[in-house]
Amino acid sequence: MFSRLREDIASIRERDPAARNSWEVLTCYPGLHAVIMHRWAKACWTAEMRWLGRFISHIARGLTGIEIHPGATIGRRVFIDHGFGVVIGETAVLGDDCTIYQGVTLGGTSLSKGAKRHPTLGRGVIVGAGAKVLGGFTVGDGAKVGSNAVVTKPVPAGATAVGNPARIVERNPVDARGQVAARMFAAYGVVPNGDDPLSQALHGLINQVAAQELQMEAMLAALKEAGIGCRRFDELSKFDAAQLNRLVD
C-alpha cells in the first residue's frame, strides 16, 4: 500500500509544477485522496460488500468532489488534477499513467445492466477539463482529449481529439521509435499546432479558390493581349482570402 502511495505522489509531483513537496501532495490533493478511497471501495465491491463500497464512494464524493463508482477499474499512477466535478462510471477502465482534469465525465450511453457502458482509457491518456467521453469504446494508448471535447467514438492510439462532436486533430502511431514522444505530457490535452481539422479543410478550400482566381486573371490578361475580347462579368465583391481565413480562425 505504501509503495503504491509513494508511486502516486511521485507521479503527481512529476506532472504538476505547483506541487512543492510530498507532504503537500499527500495532505492537499483531492485527486490523490479520491484514488486512495476508491481502492478501499473497490476492495469492498470485489468482496461482494457492495453497499459498503458505494458508501465509501459516497463519502469520497463529499470530501473531494470526485465521484468514482466502486466498480470502476483504475490503474497505477493515475492523476486526477484539481478534480472537482469528475465522474467515473461503473464499467470505466483507466490505464496506467492517465491524467484526468476537473469536470471530466467518463459516462455511459446505454441502460443495459451488465454491459460495458463506460469508456476504456489506455496507458498515458490525457483528458482535458470539461471533456465528456461517453460510451463503451476505447481511447488508445497515449491519446489526448482536449478540454470540453465530447467524444462518442473510439480514439486511435497517439491521436488528439477536440471539439463537439470530437474530431481527430492528429494521429501519431505509437511504434518502437515513437513511444517516448507519445508519452510526452500535454497539460489539459493541449498540443502545439493542434488546429481543428474542419478549420484546416476550410483554409485549404479558401486558398484553392484564391489560387484559381489568380489563374483566371492571368488567363484573361493573356487573351486580351492576344486580341481576343472576353466578356467580363461585374464582380459582386472582391474575393478576400485573408479576411476569410481570419474568420475561420
Side-chain angles (χ1 to χ4, degrees):
M1 181 180 71
F2 291 105
S3 63
R4 289 283 296 271
L5 182 59
R6 286 193 294 268
E7 187 178 66
D8 289 334
I9 291 173
S11 71
I12 291 172
R13 294 189 64 184
E14 179 183 351
R15 281 178 268 180
D16 186 4
R20 294 177 296 179
N21 54 63
S22 297
W23 177 248
E24 181 181 65
V25 172
L26 180 62
T27 56
C28 301
Y29 274 62
L32 177 62
H33 303 158
V35 170
I36 292 172
M37 295 185 74
H38 170 71
R39 289 174 186 156
W40 304 342
K42 180 71 172 179
C44 294
W45 189 265
T46 303
E48 299 297 328
M49 295 184 287
R50 299 296 173 88
W51 177 88
L52 183 57
R54 288 302 300 266
F55 186 70
I56 294 173
S57 173
H58 177 69
I59 296 298
R61 175 179 179 270
L63 293 174
T64 66
I66 299 168
E67 182 175 344
I68 308 175
H69 193 284
T73 301
I74 296 182
R76 303 172 74 95
R77 299 175 299 278
V78 170
F79 178 27
I80 303 176
D81 197 3
H82 302 293
F84 200 84
V86 167
V87 177
I88 299 176
E90 178 184 6
T91 61
V93 178
L94 280 70
D96 297 342
D97 302 301
C98 288
T99 303
I100 308 295
Y101 286 92
Q102 67 272 17
V104 166
T105 298
L106 303 182
T109 56
S110 170
L111 299 178
S112 301
K113 291 185 178 182
K116 180 71 168 73
R117 308 188 310 276
H118 304 88
T120 295
L121 307 187
R123 294 175 58 93
V125 171
I126 299 170
V127 185
K132 315 300 176 188
V133 186
L134 309 174
F137 52 83
T138 298
V139 179
D141 294 349
K144 302 174 183 65
V145 178
S147 296
N148 293 317
V150 178
V151 184
T152 57
K153 57 186 178 181
V155 179
T160 299
V162 298
N164 179 9
R167 295 179 292 272
I168 303 302
V169 172
E170 58 181 21
R171 192 187 306 258
N172 297 322
V174 182
D175 54 19
R177 294 176 300 175
Q179 287 181 354
V180 174
R183 289 196 299 267
M184 289 180 64
F185 185 71
Y188 292 93
V190 176
V191 294
N193 302 320
D195 288 338
D196 188 320
L198 182 59
S199 69
Q200 290 180 339
L202 289 173
H203 282 308
L205 290 173
I206 292 168
N207 294 334
Q208 180 68 18
V209 171
Q212 290 180 350
E213 186 177 69
L214 290 176
Q215 290 177 342
M216 293 176 64
E217 291 286 349
M219 291 170 59
L220 289 172
L223 290 172
K224 185 176 181 180
E225 290 180 0
I228 302 174
C230 293
R231 181 186 175 191
R232 188 184 184 103
F233 294 96
D234 295 334
E235 298 182 22
L236 296 177
S237 62
K238 181 65 177 177
F239 182 77
D240 190 342
Q243 180 184 12
L244 290 176
N245 280 319
R246 285 195 298 270
L247 289 173
V248 172
D249 290 334

